């Protein structure tokens, strides 16, 4: 088995919309930017995101975007607005959720997400 050559990418989140930044990170974490990309191998790079508090939210997403979660009990659907989630967990959790949703849902996803460092 060959050793995977992982590079380190530093991204500045200043004035970049959340979705555009998350999709760029997902491509780099998955390794789709490399010539020898293989879907069933984890060949992605390490990503360091800086100045996450200066990320840009376009439109009225702070008030209108809603995150859902369920407790698996009847009537256990919880709703939370984007601005409330930022107050409770911070900007890093918002970016992590966005990137998590853009990665493939298989055994490799958690290992890919471990290489995302948000400062």
């Amino acid at each position: 088995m060959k050793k995977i050559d992982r590079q380190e990418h530093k991204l500045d989140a200043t004035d970049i919309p959340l979705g555009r930044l998350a999709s760029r990170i997902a491509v780099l974490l998955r390794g789709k930017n490399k010539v020898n990309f293989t879907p069933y191998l984890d060949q992605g790079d390490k990503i360091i995101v800086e100045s996450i508090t200066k990320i840009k939210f376009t439109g009225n997403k702070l008030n209108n975007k809603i995150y859902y979660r369920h407790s698996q009990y009847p009537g256990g659907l919880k709703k939370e607005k984007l601005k409330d989630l930022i107050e409770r967990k911070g900007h890093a959790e918002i970016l992590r959720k966005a990137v998590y949703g853009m990665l493939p849902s298989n055994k490799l996803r958690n290992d890919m997400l471990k290489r995302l460092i948000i400062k």
Side-chain angles (χ1 to χ4, degrees):
M1 187 169 192
K2 293 190 332 184
K3 178 149 172 56
I4 298 169
D5 181 33
R6 297 196 195 276
Q7 297 175 353
E8 188 173 290
H9 298 275
K10 288 191 177 184
L11 299 176
D12 187 23
T14 306
D15 292 333
I16 299 176
L18 174 66
R20 291 184 188 258
L21 181 64
S23 63
R24 189 167 164 201
I25 291 170
V27 166
L28 293 172
L29 282 176
R30 190 145 185 233
K32 290 187 88 168
N33 60 326
K34 296 184 178 183
V35 178
N36 58 347
F37 169 70
T38 311
Y40 56 86
L41 293 178
D42 186 9
Q43 299 174 333
D45 297 332
K46 183 178 178 182
I47 313 296
I48 299 172
V49 182
E50 296 173 342
S51 58
I52 189 67
T53 56
K54 297 177 185 173
I55 198 165
K56 182 178 177 183
F57 295 104
T58 57
N60 199 13
K61 286 191 182 77
L62 286 173
N63 295 318
N64 292 345
K65 183 158 180 62
I66 298 175
Y67 287 91
Y68 296 95
R69 64 184 193 277
H70 201 284
S71 66
Q72 300 302 320
Y73 286 99
L77 183 65
K78 310 283 185 188
K79 299 179 191 176
E80 192 169 21
K81 290 183 180 180
L82 177 60
K83 67 177 181 180
D84 298 334
L85 189 61
I86 289 173
E87 289 175 12
R88 194 168 59 88
K89 293 229 176 172
H91 287 83
E93 184 62 24
I94 302 297
L95 181 62
R96 194 176 316 277
K97 278 179 175 270
V99 172
Y100 182 84
M102 293 182 184
L103 292 174
S105 56
N106 57 21
K107 293 179 181 180
L108 302 175
R109 177 163 42 181
N110 289 333
D111 292 335
M112 289 180 198
L113 209 58
K114 286 178 187 174
R115 289 195 309 274
L116 174 62
I117 299 167
I118 301 173
K119 292 184 179 182

